[in-house]
Amino acid sequence: DSGVTQTPKHLITATGQRVTLRCSPRSGDLSVYWYQQSLDQGLQFLIQYYNGEERAKGNILERFSAQQFPDLHSELNLSSLELGDSALYFCASSTPSGGRSDTQYFGPGTRLTVL
Amino acid sequence: DAKTTQPPSMDCAEGRAANLPCNHSTISGNEYVYWYRQIHSQGPQYIIHGLKNNETNEMASLIITEDRKSSTLILPHATLRDTAVYYCIVRVAIYNAGNMLTFGGGTRLMVKP
């Protein structure tokens, strides 16, 4: 158990709909990352937040957005869903581990199926 | 971040050591070597990381060559539960610097009875 929690575990929805995925980081971690894993693309970084502020963006579609709240939990919003958005979505959080290195710990993921 | 090269698949007998190689010939001086694994469709699991010295923890050992251009992850006594995809990632790891993990194809390790 990494200490990172994600809800829901599974989500089935229809094309055109909007969903929200939730992530609670490990206690004390200020940084949250979102990753997408689809069958044909592998694990890809989407976006990072640190203490409520967006810090880095990857290959995140404009239909996707995220935010981090004052209690440090984060939400990933996916709108106008398409069949190709079906994937596993992982959240990770990190904390400095001495010196200049930091380690990301991943949650169990949310499996999104768009029908 | 430096690119890594890993064999796509490996087999290992249960109880034997599993040695997973990784080539990162373009690594920079401030880049760490990280290893993660993913069992089936679970979240990637952190294993170990290092900068230039060899590292060991309760899960594995990491051997980094002196020129830092390659490394080997060693699982000393592989079990069936170690069957997974293992990812070697090289990255600058400055906390809060927006340095995400870039996953390649990894090595699919199959531990056989």
Side-chain angles (χ1 to χ4, degrees):
Chain A
D1 183 359
S2 67
V4 178
T5 60
Q6 290 187 249
T7 56
K9 272 190 162 181
H10 302 277
L11 199 48
I12 301 174
T13 187
T15 54
Q17 294 298 305
R18 172 190 169 94
V19 297
T20 297
L21 313 183
R22 182 187 170 107
C23 167
S24 293
R26 293 173 0 136
S27 177
D29 285 359
L30 298 178
S31 209
V32 169
Y33 301 76
W34 286 97
Y35 292 81
Q36 178 192 55
Q37 185 174 33
S38 56
L39 278 174
D40 56 346
Q41 295 283 349
L43 266 159
Q44 292 208 314
F45 167 74
L46 295 177
I47 196 163
Q48 179 207 0
Y49 277 80
Y50 173 78
N51 203 20
E53 294 186 1
E54 182 184 304
R55 190 54 59 119
K57 246 180 177 177
N59 297 323
I60 187 167
L61 300 172
E62 284 192 15
R63 300 183 286 109
F64 296 0
S65 65
Q67 53 183 329
Q68 186 178 28
F69 294 86
D71 67 352
L72 301 178
H73 91 271
S74 177
E75 293 180 358
L76 180 67
N77 301 295
L78 314 176
S79 61
S80 302
L81 285 168
E82 302 175 359
L83 295 177
D85 297 327
S86 295
L88 281 164
Y89 291 85
F90 293 106
C91 165
S93 71
S94 72
T95 190
S97 54
R100 299 170 62 211
S101 69
D102 82 303
T103 299
Q104 292 180 30
Y105 294 89
F106 285 76
T110 293
R111 181 179 292 279
L112 173 66
T113 302
V114 182
L115 301 176
Chain B
D1 290 345
K3 185 178 175 181
T4 61
T5 304
Q6 299 178 253
S9 65
M10 291 181 64
D11 289 343
C12 177
E14 190 178 19
R16 304 297 294 268
N19 297 280
L20 292 91
C22 180
N23 183 286
H24 33 79
S25 58
T26 59
I27 192 170
S28 301
N30 61 349
E31 289 180 312
Y32 287 74
V33 180
Y34 279 77
W35 283 84
Y36 282 79
R37 72 181 182 184
Q38 187 174 27
I39 298 172
H40 194 44
S41 295
Q42 297 177 21
Q45 179 187 22
Y46 166 76
I47 301 173
I48 200 168
H49 76 283
L51 183 62
K52 50 185 176 182
N53 297 322
N54 297 337
E55 302 287 344
T56 295
N57 63 20
E58 65 280 1
M59 286 184 69
S61 294
L62 173 61
I63 308 297
I64 303 174
T65 58
E66 195 169 337
D67 62 7
R68 302 187 69 237
K69 293 185 176 181
S70 65
S71 61
T72 301
L73 177 74
I74 301 172
L75 308 178
H77 306 286
T79 71
L80 299 179
R81 285 177 293 184
D82 292 321
T83 292
V85 178
Y86 287 76
Y87 296 98
C88 169
I89 299 166
V90 173
R91 63 190 278 259
V92 176
I94 301 173
Y95 182 63
N96 185 33
N99 46 330
M100 70 295 295
L101 296 169
T102 301
F103 290 84
T107 295
R108 186 172 298 275
L109 176 69
M110 180 76 71
V111 180
K112 299 183 173 179

